Amino acid sequence: MAASFGVETPITNADKTFVQLRDDIVEGIIPSGSKLSETELSTKYQVSRAVIREAINRLATCHLVERKANVGARVVGLSAEGLVQLYQVREALEGMAARLAAKHMSDEEISSLKALLDSHFDTVKSGENYYQEAGDVDFHYRIVQGSKNAHLISVLIDGLYHLVRMYRVQFGMAGPRVSTAFDEHKHVVYAIANRDEELAEMLMRRHILYSKTNIEKKLNKDL
Amino acid sequence: MAASFGVETPITNADKTFVQLRDDIVEGIIPSGSKLSETELSTKYQVSRAVIREAINRLATCHLVERKANVGARVVGLSAEGLVQLYQVREALEGMAARLAAKHMSDEEISSLKALLDSHFDTVKSGENYYQEAGDVDFHYRIVQGSKNAHLISVLIDGLYHLVRMYRVQFGMAGPRVSTAFDEHKHVVYAIANRDEELAEMLMRRHILYSKTNIEKKLNKDL
DNA sequence: TACCACTATATTGTCGACACATTATTTACA
DNA sequence: TGTAAATAATGTGTCGACAATATAGTGGTA
């Protein structure tokens, strides 16, 4: 798994507590919609309230919790509507990321990306779900990093991707569509390798759009 | 001026200090690139360090300052490169916002937007620079709000727009291009009124792209 | 019984002090 | 005299206590 950007390696206690809380929220150990009591968490995680407060503030930055003045923080609620909105933003941002990646990625980065896709292909054949998921994550990470745009990188990697993971985990999406998604990835890389910015953006947007409709279908089936 | 979203009305001291610091940074009263000393600011603004720390954390959320563990926070540096990257993200996000606005804005909101444009037109004729700028800001705000997408709204209004303003103020951009920009605004609204999502997005993207190249030209002239 | 005012409790906001890390300065040695 | 280790000074990280605010519970009245 590629490292997150903002906190490469946790240094302070607030860093560590932030990462721990974040993972617990994403994994659903701290249930979505639940209230985060500062005093409670400070005893639970064995740190002072100040540290918890700072961690919670950073969670708010990733849109994983919402704070209200003089009231407290709640873990964000998951909904079909929220998922749709999340994917709309992903479509816009990752589309642009693909466009910029086609412009700015070095030849070495591109061939490395191709290699990643090849290894991904082997796991697709052998049908290991876990690594398929990891492969997908890695693919999107690399494109975003390849954009060389600091805003894109921080908004997506430090922010939205954690929410995406949270939806994946808690709505239980390992899903099929792996082989189709793999083909889409291949086409995106092809466009990037050809330095075709326009096509790279369009293909990435479609790829995310298809994921969205696919997820929506699964959700409706569950309801 | 439309109110910012996250802190509609400042409640706590941290809120007020955040807003004050933010404005001072945007206006250049606190120079870009300078170091923010917590102890210094706490005496200057007459609040405890804890309040300053929280304010600085929120500034980091808006990408107005950058923090390093055990070192401190610096006001973000402005550069031509940074401006380009900022406008790339704007293009992606506001393009999507226009698309969604075409889908989700109510008829009332649309006619209100038209009215805004008409009043804007009068000030364009009378040639008042200040209100032209305000009109532009209002226009973009409304589109973003019209998207009804919480992520778009928070990333743009709570985050990037402050940086945009900072560049405008400190690079001194009141500029011409007002009448041309006004025409572009008109066309976007036209597309939204026709519920043409595709066109709305494309026109908004072009509008921002033109602004970018225009600003780049001015910058190169200055250097 | 329903509704409002008041009280009591719990939680967040703020503060000042201390612990620790980083940086600048001084001192010792080759 | 130049470099490096040791030390001092500054600033951030963390803590526990107090103040201010919101919430829950109680009692009273129409």
Side-chain angles (χ1 to χ4, degrees), chain B residues 115-135:
Chain B
L116 177 75
L117 227 58
D118 288 340
S119 76
H120 186 186
F121 177 65
D122 295 337
T123 58
V124 167
K125 278 201 306 187
S126 65
E128 298 175 48
N129 253 337
Y130 176 75
Y131 286 105
Q132 283 167 11
E133 157 102 23

Short mmCIF file of all heavy atoms in Angstrom, two decimals, chain B residues 115-135:
data_model
loop_
_atom_site.label_atom_id
_atom_site.label_comp_id
_atom_site.label_asym_id
_atom_site.label_seq_id
_atom_site.Cartn_x
_atom_site.Cartn_y
_atom_site.Cartn_z
N ALA B 115 -30.56 37.38 -12.68
CA ALA B 115 -30.71 38.73 -12.15
C ALA B 115 -29.36 39.27 -11.69
O ALA B 115 -29.01 40.43 -11.94
CB ALA B 115 -31.70 38.73 -10.98
N LEU B 116 -28.61 38.41 -11.03
CA LEU B 116 -27.27 38.82 -10.57
C LEU B 116 -26.43 39.26 -11.75
O LEU B 116 -25.75 40.29 -11.70
CB LEU B 116 -26.58 37.64 -9.87
CG LEU B 116 -25.14 37.92 -9.40
CD1 LEU B 116 -25.16 38.79 -8.15
CD2 LEU B 116 -24.38 36.64 -9.13
N LEU B 117 -26.52 38.51 -12.82
CA LEU B 117 -25.73 38.82 -14.01
C LEU B 117 -26.14 40.16 -14.61
O LEU B 117 -25.30 40.94 -15.07
CB LEU B 117 -25.91 37.70 -15.04
CG LEU B 117 -24.62 37.19 -15.68
CD1 LEU B 117 -23.68 36.70 -14.61
CD2 LEU B 117 -24.91 36.11 -16.69
N ASP B 118 -27.46 40.43 -14.60
CA ASP B 118 -27.94 41.70 -15.12
C ASP B 118 -27.39 42.87 -14.31
O ASP B 118 -26.91 43.86 -14.87
CB ASP B 118 -29.48 41.74 -15.09
CG ASP B 118 -30.07 40.82 -16.16
OD1 ASP B 118 -29.34 40.48 -17.12
OD2 ASP B 118 -31.25 40.43 -16.03
N SER B 119 -27.44 42.75 -12.99
CA SER B 119 -26.92 43.83 -12.15
C SER B 119 -25.42 43.95 -12.36
O SER B 119 -24.86 45.05 -12.36
CB SER B 119 -27.24 43.57 -10.68
OG SER B 119 -26.38 42.59 -10.16
N HIS B 120 -24.78 42.81 -12.56
CA HIS B 120 -23.36 42.81 -12.85
C HIS B 120 -23.10 43.59 -14.14
O HIS B 120 -22.16 44.36 -14.24
CB HIS B 120 -22.87 41.36 -12.99
CG HIS B 120 -21.39 41.23 -13.14
ND1 HIS B 120 -20.77 40.04 -13.39
CD2 HIS B 120 -20.41 42.16 -13.08
CE1 HIS B 120 -19.47 40.24 -13.50
NE2 HIS B 120 -19.23 41.51 -13.30
N PHE B 121 -23.98 43.39 -15.11
CA PHE B 121 -23.82 44.05 -16.39
C PHE B 121 -23.80 45.57 -16.24
O PHE B 121 -23.00 46.27 -16.85
CB PHE B 121 -24.96 43.64 -17.33
CG PHE B 121 -24.93 44.32 -18.66
CD1 PHE B 121 -23.87 44.10 -19.55
CD2 PHE B 121 -25.94 45.19 -19.03
CE1 PHE B 121 -23.84 44.74 -20.77
CE2 PHE B 121 -25.90 45.83 -20.26
CZ PHE B 121 -24.84 45.60 -21.13
N ASP B 122 -24.69 46.09 -15.39
CA ASP B 122 -24.75 47.54 -15.16
C ASP B 122 -23.43 48.06 -14.62
O ASP B 122 -22.93 49.10 -15.07
CB ASP B 122 -25.89 47.87 -14.18
CG ASP B 122 -27.25 47.53 -14.79
OD1 ASP B 122 -27.34 47.47 -16.03
OD2 ASP B 122 -28.19 47.31 -14.02
N THR B 123 -22.87 47.33 -13.67
CA THR B 123 -21.61 47.81 -13.09
C THR B 123 -20.46 47.68 -14.08
O THR B 123 -19.54 48.48 -14.05
CB THR B 123 -21.26 47.03 -11.81
OG1 THR B 123 -21.16 45.64 -12.13
CG2 THR B 123 -22.33 47.22 -10.74
N VAL B 124 -20.54 46.68 -14.96
CA VAL B 124 -19.52 46.57 -15.99
C VAL B 124 -19.52 47.82 -16.85
O VAL B 124 -18.48 48.39 -17.17
CB VAL B 124 -19.74 45.32 -16.87
CG1 VAL B 124 -18.88 45.40 -18.12
CG2 VAL B 124 -19.42 44.06 -16.09
N LYS B 125 -20.74 48.25 -17.22
CA LYS B 125 -20.84 49.45 -18.04
C LYS B 125 -20.28 50.67 -17.32
O LYS B 125 -19.57 51.49 -17.89
CB LYS B 125 -22.31 49.70 -18.42
CG LYS B 125 -22.77 48.87 -19.61
CD LYS B 125 -23.98 49.48 -20.28
CE LYS B 125 -25.12 49.71 -19.29
NZ LYS B 125 -26.34 50.14 -19.97
N SER B 126 -20.64 50.80 -16.03
CA SER B 126 -20.20 51.98 -15.29
C SER B 126 -18.72 51.87 -14.92
O SER B 126 -18.10 52.83 -14.49
CB SER B 126 -21.04 52.17 -14.03
OG SER B 126 -20.83 51.10 -13.14
N GLY B 127 -18.16 50.68 -15.08
CA GLY B 127 -16.72 50.53 -14.95
C GLY B 127 -16.17 50.60 -13.54
O GLY B 127 -15.09 51.14 -13.31
N GLU B 128 -16.90 50.06 -12.58
CA GLU B 128 -16.39 50.05 -11.21
C GLU B 128 -15.64 48.75 -10.95
O GLU B 128 -16.25 47.70 -10.86
CB GLU B 128 -17.54 50.19 -10.21
CG GLU B 128 -18.31 51.50 -10.33
CD GLU B 128 -19.50 51.50 -9.40
OE1 GLU B 128 -19.33 51.15 -8.22
OE2 GLU B 128 -20.60 51.82 -9.85
N ASN B 129 -14.37 48.86 -10.79
CA ASN B 129 -13.55 47.67 -10.69
C ASN B 129 -13.88 46.80 -9.49
O ASN B 129 -13.97 45.60 -9.59
CB ASN B 129 -12.07 48.06 -10.63
CG ASN B 129 -11.37 47.72 -11.94
OD1 ASN B 129 -11.85 46.86 -12.67
ND2 ASN B 129 -10.29 48.40 -12.24
N TYR B 130 -14.07 47.46 -8.36
CA TYR B 130 -14.28 46.69 -7.14
C TYR B 130 -15.49 45.77 -7.26
O TYR B 130 -15.44 44.60 -6.93
CB TYR B 130 -14.44 47.61 -5.94
CG TYR B 130 -14.74 46.87 -4.67
CD1 TYR B 130 -13.74 46.18 -4.01
CD2 TYR B 130 -16.04 46.82 -4.16
CE1 TYR B 130 -14.00 45.48 -2.86
CE2 TYR B 130 -16.31 46.12 -3.01
CZ TYR B 130 -15.29 45.44 -2.36
OH TYR B 130 -15.56 44.74 -1.22
N TYR B 131 -16.57 46.33 -7.75
CA TYR B 131 -17.79 45.54 -7.81
C TYR B 131 -17.75 44.49 -8.91
O TYR B 131 -18.43 43.49 -8.85
CB TYR B 131 -19.02 46.45 -7.94
CG TYR B 131 -19.33 47.15 -6.66
CD1 TYR B 131 -19.04 48.49 -6.46
CD2 TYR B 131 -19.87 46.43 -5.59
CE1 TYR B 131 -19.30 49.11 -5.27
CE2 TYR B 131 -20.13 47.05 -4.38
CZ TYR B 131 -19.84 48.40 -4.22
OH TYR B 131 -20.09 48.99 -3.02
N GLN B 132 -16.94 44.76 -9.91
CA GLN B 132 -16.76 43.73 -10.94
C GLN B 132 -16.17 42.47 -10.32
O GLN B 132 -16.63 41.38 -10.54
CB GLN B 132 -15.83 44.26 -12.04
CG GLN B 132 -16.52 45.23 -12.98
CD GLN B 132 -15.53 45.96 -13.85
OE1 GLN B 132 -14.36 45.62 -13.89
NE2 GLN B 132 -16.01 46.98 -14.55
N GLU B 133 -15.14 42.71 -9.51
CA GLU B 133 -14.49 41.60 -8.82
C GLU B 133 -15.50 40.86 -7.94
O GLU B 133 -15.62 39.63 -7.99
CB GLU B 133 -13.35 42.14 -7.96
CG GLU B 133 -12.94 41.26 -6.82
CD GLU B 133 -11.68 40.49 -7.12
OE1 GLU B 133 -10.91 40.94 -7.97
OE2 GLU B 133 -11.47 39.43 -6.50
N ALA B 134 -16.25 41.64 -7.14
CA ALA B 134 -17.24 41.03 -6.25
C ALA B 134 -18.26 40.24 -7.06
O ALA B 134 -18.68 39.15 -6.67
CB ALA B 134 -17.92 42.10 -5.42
N GLY B 135 -18.67 40.79 -8.20
CA GLY B 135 -19.63 40.11 -9.04
C GLY B 135 -19.10 38.78 -9.52
O GLY B 135 -19.80 37.77 -9.52
#
